[in-house]
Amino acid sequence: MPSISHETSPNIAPSSRIKRNSACTSCRDAKVRCNPNQNPAEPCQRCAKLHLTCVVDKTHKRVSRKSKLDELVQEIQNIKQSVTGQSSSSPSQATSYSQQNGPISPFKDTGPSRLGVPSPASVSAPAEVRPPVIATSSSITVAPSSVIHTPTSIPLVQSPPAEPTLPRALGSQPFSGEDIDYYFQKYFECYHPYMPIIRLRHPNKCYESSSFLFWTIIYIASRRYAKSPGTFPFLLDAVRRDAYSTINNWPLSMHSINAIILLCAWIFPDVRFVNDPSALFSGAIMNAAIQLGIHCGKGSHPEYSHGVFQNTFTDEEASFTWAGYNIITQRVSSSLGLPPLGGLFNQTIQNIIDGRTPFQVPPTFRVLLECQKFCNHVSKTMAAFLEEARGVSAQIVQLLEDEWNAVRGLICSERADDLDGFNALLVQLEIQTFYMIPLPGYDPEALKRNILRTYKTAQAVIREALELDRKIEFLRHLPHFYFRAILAAGAVVYRILRSSYMQFIDRQAAEQSASDAVAASRRARVMDSDLPTRLGNLFESWSDRLLRGAGAPHWNEEPVSSFSHRLSASVTYDCMTRWKTDHMHNCRNKGQPFTTCGCFGSSAAAAGAAGAGAAATNASETPAILAGGNAGADPLQNIDWTFMDDFDWNFEPVMPVLTAPT
């Protein structure tokens, strides 16, 4: 088939459209207009753009989702009857099987399981059981995963466990088999759907494969579901030591790589803003994965299995691990404002996105992977432009935004869930953030329109995060890269409030967005004085200064970032540094340590610690200042000032510029 360039436009003039009697099977299945090519031997324009097989078959009938589900249910019933007939010789086994597998109906677990909500399709299937491959007619053209969201694979046979879970001990801390089952169940119910890379679900087999991975799973589950108060702090210290020890013992196994990927997703909650070890971990993952040939998506690859590097894993394990690594490394790059040096979105990733794998991949995971692939494209493009200048052309940002809107229309179909839409919204915000890094000589009116659109997107991100939390307890279980995205959205909101654009926005809506940012940050809290708690306290103090009180300042500058080489994180760094500069400018005792400075109330450090504890015990998640609390209270008493150490609070701040970049 002749190759078709990506530049082929799907929109052509009506006069140049070629008429034919029937649409191709791919366009018919997707229920979209089929625009034939000028050359009848070439595929239609949609198939050329999406790299689909273009076949015109007048006898083809579109297969509806209902008929697919009916076919799947019939296949399940046939296999169940076959298994039941084979196991009839063992009454006890048949009885146990019947109790675990109730009658199958067409409406039982046919769609993707809700994140954070127990589902048999997501937690009860053992790793050894693979979903069957449903045979389809050769005349049916299957649309890519970007268009059709296939249902989550349904476990067909739930055999009784071969053996009970064995008790284990980590140092001096024992864990019974019942406790281990409890933590594994919580992990696969509430955390696994966000990063579904673990294929071994039985605790005994997981421990035999890698004790590091075994304890990492329990550590993540204990973030919210620890059975005793001392369990999580104990696991936090133990797993942290194991992580640094593991990356120093080369080569890393597949299971150790998976454990480090999970730690990057749910990093230690007591990390500081800039000493997050995720960048170090992702670099170790990249080298270990490539040396094992994981990037090929092939298990037992003979060319990568030699000496100490033995890859005995399967194709499925390799593909899931490589996908998880690419997601993590892209989010680390975007969050820290670093060039995307480690992301290799190769053909293995494209096969997963398009659904060209012999195993099932959750639709939400494929959408997340598609989003990070586009973010990688954006970061590389913007890094190239910012190497030459201290700003980005608004036309370039608009082109990327238009390109993403086209991709977004494909991946966010009518069957996309709320998390898919949230992931797409985060990509849009990451692109629009570059409007706040304009080239010199920008048009003020165009800048205002673009930045106000960015502000609206940031508001939507915070609002959707709270809505997801209401539905699936999203903020209780979210990976760290989602929290970083909420931080970036909050920084955009507060940067607009600290600018002359305050006169163009609704004040009541601005106060609500500020309140939502504080609530979302505190809702993600895991332990006292962790990053979400400290960020919530800081957001609250910003709200008081910018929106409340008679002495609220009025800014005359445009919300243009003075940082440019931190890519999409530039606005976050700019917002933090300006906040520090404002307070240092008004400080009456510049030579005195800020922890004892009277400008911040008596003993700011003690107040910060007390504020963190108060936030932990406060049942209401609405900030006291925004809720009309004690107007005479010190607005800075709840700040944990160690949060600002990450931006050199103890040194005299020097801002590059306060106007447009030059």
Side-chain angles (χ1 to χ4, degrees), residues 107-124:
F107 306 99
K108 182 178 180 179
D109 296 320
T110 56
S113 59
R114 288 181 57 191
L115 295 173
V117 179
S119 170
S122 61
V123 301
S124 62

Side-chain angles (χ1 to χ4, degrees), residues 72 76 108-113 119-123 125 129-132 150-156 199 201 316 320 359-363:
L72 180 60
I76 293 173
K108 182 178 180 179
D109 296 320
T110 56
S113 59
S119 170
S122 61
V123 301
V129 178
R130 304 290 176 85
T150 57
T152 303
S153 58
I154 302 175
L156 300 178
R199 317 317 297 158
R201 302 197 178 195
E316 181 179 357
F320 271 94
F359 46 82
Q360 293 281 352
V361 179

Side-chain angles (χ1 to χ4, degrees), residues 31 73 82 138 213 259 269 317 321 375 462 470 580 598 624:
K31 299 177 67 175
V73 169
S82 176
S138 59
L213 176 60
E317 291 174 326
T321 298
C375 286
I462 299 173
R470 184 186 65 82
K580 177 192 66 176

Side-chain angles (χ1 to χ4, degrees), residues 162-210:
E163 59 182 6
T165 301
L166 299 177
R168 308 288 179 182
L170 180 61
S172 60
Q173 182 74 29
F175 290 83
S176 66
E178 180 182 355
D179 290 344
I180 293 173
D181 284 336
Y182 166 78
Y183 287 121
F184 264 68
Q185 180 184 11
K186 287 298 182 183
Y187 169 80
F188 283 104
E189 285 179 2
C190 304
Y191 297 95
H192 176 75
Y194 293 102
M195 186 61 63
I197 63 174
I198 304 302
R199 317 317 297 158
L200 287 177
R201 302 197 178 195
H202 195 282
N204 289 348
K205 293 186 177 181
C206 182
Y207 186 86
E208 293 169 0
S209 301
S210 172

Side-chain angles (χ1 to χ4, degrees), residues 1-4 18 20 24 35-45 47-48 52-56:
M1 180 181 298
S3 60
I4 303 299
I18 305 300
R20 66 184 179 197
C24 71
N35 295 322
N37 201 293
Q38 295 283 355
N39 186 355
E42 295 185 359
C44 71
Q45 297 189 14
C47 290
L52 302 178
T53 302
C54 188
V55 178
V56 178

Side-chain angles (χ1 to χ4, degrees), residues 486-538:
I486 295 174
L487 165 62
V492 170
V493 169
Y494 283 101
R495 184 65 185 90
I496 302 302
L497 300 184
R498 190 199 176 280
S499 71
S500 60
Y501 285 13
M502 184 67 184
Q503 59 182 315
F504 304 122
I505 62 177
D506 181 76
R507 188 177 187 86
Q508 184 177 0
E511 292 182 3
Q512 183 61 49
S513 297
S515 176
D516 290 345
V518 177
S521 300
R522 289 178 172 169
R523 180 65 174 160
R525 170 190 170 273
V526 175
M527 59 184 294
D528 291 344
S529 301
D530 62 358
L531 190 61
T533 302
R534 289 152 43 207
L535 179 63
N537 294 336
L538 192 65

